[in-house]
Amino acid sequence: MTDVRRSKFLSLVLRHKPEEIGLQLDAEGWASVPDLLARLETTRHAITLTDLERIVAQNDKKRFTLSADKSRIRAAQGHSIEVALGLGPVTPPETLYHGTATRFVDAIR
């Protein structure tokens, strides 16, 4: 299985459906790495700690955050479940940019 497929599955369980593998996230979205790896072992998405570290480091969109001691992991963005990432409100700049395909511009406006 490729790292891309593994990354997509990690996104699913860390951002949307931790129950898919019986994973528990805390209020801030963190999961225990040993628990995650053990639960993945029972699926077709089994990975090692080395695999997980590589997937986190090489993800071009920086979707995941590992704690400094590598004992916990969470999705950094895009949750559909309630988590408190500890990010405070900020005042946006005067001009914001949004990248999109030109075919969607009219609908966005």
Side-chain angles (χ1 to χ4, degrees):
M1 180 172 298
T2 68
D3 281 353
V4 170
R5 290 182 60 103
R6 290 176 175 134
S7 178
K8 286 182 180 188
F9 190 74
L10 285 172
S11 287
L12 174 72
V13 298
L14 293 174
R15 294 169 61 189
H16 308 294
K17 294 183 176 182
E19 70 276 4
E20 186 91 1
I21 60 171
L23 187 66
Q24 287 288 106
L25 304 181
D26 70 13
E28 296 175 339
W30 291 104
S32 157
V33 168
D35 187 34
L36 172 66
L37 296 177
R39 291 177 184 280
L40 289 173
E41 187 70 31
T42 67
T43 72
R44 60 188 172 100
H45 303 281
I47 61 173
T48 65
L49 178 58
T50 301
D51 294 332
L52 183 64
E53 290 172 337
R54 183 183 62 251
I55 291 165
V56 170
Q58 293 180 355
N59 187 276
D60 60 338
K61 295 184 180 179
K62 303 297 179 203
R63 287 196 168 110
F64 311 107
T65 303
L66 269 175
S67 62
D69 65 359
K70 299 179 184 177
S71 67
R72 299 182 309 150
I73 187 170
R74 72 177 177 181
Q77 60 193 357
H79 296 83
S80 63
I81 57 176
E82 190 69 32
V83 295
L85 294 177
L87 303 173
V90 296
T91 303
E94 187 175 313
T95 303
L96 291 174
Y97 297 91
H98 173 71
T100 193
T102 55
R103 68 183 181 274
F104 298 126
V105 171
D106 288 337
I108 290 171
R109 287 187 179 153

